[in-house]
Amino acid sequence: MPEIRLEKLVKRYGDVQVLHGIDLDMAENEFTVLVGPSGCGKSTTLRMVAGLESVTEGEIFIGGSPVSHLDPKDRGLAMVFQDYALYPHMDVARNISFALRLQKRPKEEIQAKVREVAEIVGLSEFLHRKPGALSGGQRQRVAMARALAKDSDIFLFDEPLSNLDAKLRGQMRAELAIMRQSVQKNMIYVTHDQIEAMTLADRIVVMHGGYIQQQGPPEELFKQPANKFVAGFLGSPPMNFMDVDLQEEGGIVVARGDGFGIAIPAEISNQIGKNSGKITLGIRPSDLNYDPNAAEDRALDLQVIVSEYIGAQSVLLCSCGSTNVTVELKSETPIALGETLRFAVRTEGIHLFDRATESAL
Amino acid sequence: MKAHFLNRVTPYAFLAPAGVIMVIALLYPLGYMIYGSFRDWDPSQNISETEFVGIKNYITLFFDPAFHESLSVTLIFAGSVVIAEMAIGVGLALLLDRNLRGMSILRTLFILPMMIAPVVVGLMWRYMYHPTVGTFNRTLKSMGLQGVDWLGQNALLSVIIADIWQWTPFIFILALAALQSLPRSALEAARIDGATPWQQIWYIKLPLMMPVLVVTGLLRLIDAFKVLEVILVMTEGGPGLSTEIVALRISRTATEFRELGTAAAMSNYLLILLLILTLAMLAFTRIQEARTARLARQVQEES
């Protein structure tokens, strides 16, 4: 329903500034994921939208009107917390209905609503249990149901899955993705897990050090990272970075590093201008294919140090001159540790970053 | 075999000194008191010379209007101080549970009364209550009001006020500790769910503090039944019997009336009352623990 707009949002604790002017537009019914490492300001941003943290400077608009002076309850939102934040002395039904009871809605309406959302999250049998008698996953569902019951236009999630074990997390992530399709609301979701971000988001906002690094659809961020941080943060295993110098050799621009030289396609080199000096080359493991017959200027020769068998694929940690490079390989490929293998570089997979500013070229 | 035996004995060896002190300082006098309560016993007599009277002392007390008076004074005193202290202490804790400048100094100031020796508290309040030169009446008179006959007409109220002053801090610090250990995120969730500050207190904070508050209240109640020094110094039980709490009556029965047997029986009545309160408190904590354990087991069995 309403779009959310953050304008030059600043947060300071005393002399410490944790957010440096966040500008963000979230369209109607958009699922926005704020993602970044610990301390990047993503939770603070969410808590400011919720009204749990005060705004130092800037303004938050919901549906066009400024809200930063409003109490949380007057902003029309629901929130799911990392530690679930259930009311321990109330049973599941009373947890879910707390907001409705405060609004003094009619009893029948409240009961119907509780039954409805309990059905959605699969808690119907547990309505009369206290949170203490529920498992982690069930508590998470209660938190979800409590948020759903409020009928708010805006849903906030503060790392809702990070207290669950790996298997449950995957399951809940899938359920969230399903719920997402039927519940048309504005959702803001904070996580440090890039897989959650990639799978759930309409729009990913990558944050680091109190700044937004890049925002956009997951695919765009994955394919065209704006800087080295975004490139390294999204994708698993993470992107490989190597220091190179750009040199012109016989009419072709070559990225020359320690023990390799990769020809840069003309369309890229034309864009950045020749000889632009110190550069970081980024290649995702998925853009390196084992190919013994590849041409030398389109490939890396990698010496295998460690092989991590994870099923159909193995992740190989290799050395290329003085840098380490991670690649993926089908497990049936016969290799020996210490062996040197040739991996072809997909031309679409070449990312170049300025070594000083770390922004993409 | 020998090492095994030593291992089993060592803990008891370490406990032994404490055990000996318990027996000498607690069990022996207790047994002596129970034994003495069945005897007609004047302080000038050796206990072996006294006459066994069965439960006569208990029966006499049971029908003694002065003891009834004393018991009802004690009940009124204990009941009102605990209710008032709980209300004020918890209220203050709710009010001061925030990060303000200088709050730590304020908190320290608040708990000062508790650290003053009871006799000093009694003396202090006696001077403040003095009809002509006391702080209260001088203030009232300087404002053009009439003085109050604090320790005369209103003696019970006056000792109740002094006790509230002294012991509210106890409730305050425990309530504050309980408040600060509440789950922050549950309170934040309540704010988002639309609870006003009053509703947060009523529906979230107080119910979550309740286990601590119940135990604190019972502790205070037990203590209030045993209060002696402050009242002894302030009023000596008077005027008349108006502030003669049971502990004071016991001491007067033993010293002034020279009836050790009756005093012992009275002590036993008080002991039974306190025992019931203590058991109630223990039962309450045990029930709480058992409930938590049961819930945890339930979750474990299902997963």
Side-chain angles (χ1 to χ4, degrees), chain B residues 262-285:
Chain B
T262 318
M266 219 183 294
S267 300
N268 282 338
Y269 273 134
L270 185 59
L271 186 68
I272 289 166
L273 189 67
L274 295 181
L275 209 60
I276 292 170
L277 285 175
T278 312
L279 287 178
M281 190 177 76
L282 289 180
F284 178 79
T285 39

Side-chain angles (χ1 to χ4, degrees), chain A residues 47 83 87 89 129 133 150, chain B residues 185 188 192-193 203 299 302:
Chain A
R47 290 170 59 83
D83 60 358
Y87 311 125
H89 57 297
R129 289 252 189 116
K150 270 191 78 184
Chain B
S185 60
E188 289 177 342
I192 286 180
D193 273 350
Y203 293 117
V299 175
E302 280 170 12

